[in-house]
């Protein structure tokens, strides 16, 4: 797929991709026997990118980085980019058409992440909803040191299953750090950073109403649902990103001269 829909904003590169286009990228990685990281950016990851060298290293390894934040879509529009609402893709929306396509195409999925019991419940729900879906899973609570026996066993379990898609849902930046450290050892095609995807499926975390996502208000629902964990992310980090946006606005006129 061409990079015509790739834009740079707030110091990062993003790809404006819809759900069908993302499913097409997964199909391409499998057909071409490629190993591609398909990452995503939201406001939290933008903050981490600018403050964590390991996150910058991770995104440098990603073939594509889709948009998982309506504020990023709004910022892109303000900067003059033709980014559409349907090019904001969050796993709460994507997981269902992704599993449907995986069932049709007989793609094997390995989901790594979430708490013990929760990930198994989520995978069971997906199997019930999509008969024939091939999905294996393992919880994300293990010693992530690359040389630890637990980490080695995790890699062995993934490679033994030979998944077409590896979904890593351990939250930012833990999931990105783990992928970057273990990328060479993993045998798969598409690698997706899926955050709390399986937690939503399992009902461990309440899914925000989809109208709030379309309006860019999903963060507010999450803040009220988990205030102790998320207050810093939603109330402090945006100030840093606001400074980045102002800098970009000031730079644009000078670039057009």
């Amino acid at each position: 797929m061409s990079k015509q829909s790739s834009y740079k904003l707030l110091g990062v590169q993003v790809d404006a991709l819809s759900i069908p286009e993302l499913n097409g990228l997964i199909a391409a990685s499998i057909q071409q026997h490629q190993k591609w990281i398909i990452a995503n950016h939201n406001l939290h990851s933008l903050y981490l990118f600018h403050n964590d060298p390991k996150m910058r290293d991770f995104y440098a390894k990603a073939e594509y980085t889709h948009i998982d934040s309506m504020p990023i879509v709004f910022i892109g529009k303000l900067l003059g980019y033709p980014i559409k609402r349907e090019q904001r893709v969050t796993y709460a929306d994507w997981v269902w058409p992704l599993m449907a396509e995986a069932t049709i195409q007989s793609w094997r999925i390995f989901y790594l992440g979430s708490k013990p019991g929760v990930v198994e419940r989520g995978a069971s729900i997906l199997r019930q909803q999509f008969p024939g879906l091939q999905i294996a899973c393992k919880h994300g609570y293990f010693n992530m040191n690359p040389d630890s026996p637990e980490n080695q066993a995790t890699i062995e379990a993934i490679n033994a299953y030979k998944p077409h898609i590896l979904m890593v849902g351990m939250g930012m930046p833990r999931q990105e750090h783990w992928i970057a450290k273990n990328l060479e050892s993993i045998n798969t095609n598409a690698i997706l950073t899926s955050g709390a995807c399986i937690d939503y499926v399992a009902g461990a975390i309440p899914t925000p109403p989809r109208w709030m996502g379309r309006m860019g208000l999903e963060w507010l629902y999450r803040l009220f649902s988990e205030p102790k964990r998320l207050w810093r992310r939603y109330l402090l980090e945006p100030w840093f990103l606001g400074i980045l946006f102002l800098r970009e606005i000031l730079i644009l006129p000078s670039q057009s001269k």
Side-chain angles (χ1 to χ4, degrees):
M1 183 174 292
S2 70
K3 283 283 190 174
Q4 291 180 349
S5 58
S6 183
Y7 309 106
K8 189 165 187 178
L9 52 85
L10 302 185
V12 304
Q13 204 76 26
V14 295
D15 300 295
L17 298 163
S18 64
I19 287 175
E21 289 170 330
L22 285 165
N23 283 348
L25 285 179
I26 292 173
S29 72
I30 294 168
Q31 291 164 4
Q32 298 173 27
H33 305 288
Q34 298 293 318
K35 180 161 58 175
W36 290 350
I37 295 174
I38 301 176
N40 61 79
H41 260 313
N42 53 38
L43 294 187
H44 183 47
S45 69
L46 287 178
Y47 177 84
L48 292 171
F49 180 93
H50 289 287
N51 291 277
D52 180 354
K54 293 180 181 178
M55 285 291 275
R56 292 195 288 275
D57 291 342
F58 166 79
Y59 281 102
K61 298 175 187 292
E63 273 68 27
Y64 294 90
T65 303
H66 70 87
I67 299 169
D68 181 14
S69 168
M70 278 308 299
I72 292 180
V73 172
F74 297 149
I75 290 169
K77 285 179 175 293
L78 287 171
L79 294 174
Y81 297 132
I83 302 175
K84 303 173 183 177
R85 284 178 178 266
E86 58 267 26
Q87 291 169 328
R88 179 265 188 172
V89 176
T90 183
Y91 278 91
D93 298 318
W94 187 17
V95 62
W96 311 109
L98 173 58
M99 296 300 148
E101 188 68 14
T103 304
I104 293 169
Q105 302 295 341
S106 297
W107 294 339
R108 290 183 301 279
I109 298 174
F110 194 105
Y111 195 102
L112 174 65
S114 193
K115 295 179 180 179
V118 174
V119 66
E120 290 85 0
R121 184 164 73 248
S124 178
I125 290 169
L126 292 173
R127 289 191 201 98
Q128 291 171 14
Q129 184 145 350
F130 301 96
L133 175 66
Q134 301 176 71
I135 183 168
C137 61
K138 186 182 186 301
H139 67 78
Y141 285 69
F142 60 94
N143 184 342
M144 288 177 56
N145 187 309
D147 298 324
S148 74
E150 289 184 3
N151 194 71
Q152 292 298 320
T154 299
I155 297 291
E156 289 172 6
I158 293 168
N159 291 343
Y161 190 67
K162 298 179 180 179
H164 298 101
I165 303 169
L166 172 63
M167 301 176 71
V168 184
M170 299 191 286
M172 292 179 170
R174 193 169 183 258
Q175 60 195 13
E176 287 82 6
H177 289 177
W178 185 85
I179 292 169
K181 287 179 183 177
N182 297 279
L183 184 60
E184 298 304 318
S185 303
I186 300 167
N187 295 327
T188 187
N189 297 120
I191 301 173
L192 313 181
T193 49
S194 50
C197 173
I198 208 78
D199 296 80
Y200 290 122
V201 172
I205 297 176
T207 302
R210 303 323 304 139
W211 67 265
M212 294 188 80
R214 291 189 293 272
M215 295 295 291
L217 297 173
E218 201 165 279
W219 66 272
L220 189 61
Y221 183 93
R222 288 174 174 161
L223 177 61
F224 278 107
S225 298
E226 301 180 89
K228 289 184 179 180
R229 187 174 74 87
L230 298 177
W231 72 271
R232 183 181 299 275
R233 178 187 304 185
Y234 292 128
L235 299 182
L236 294 185
E237 292 179 9
W239 291 98
F240 170 81
L241 299 172
I243 293 171
L244 291 179
F245 177 66
L246 288 175
R247 285 180 185 168
E248 200 140 329
I249 288 292
L250 292 172
I251 290 171
L252 277 177
S254 63
Q255 289 179 338
S256 61
K257 291 179 182 179

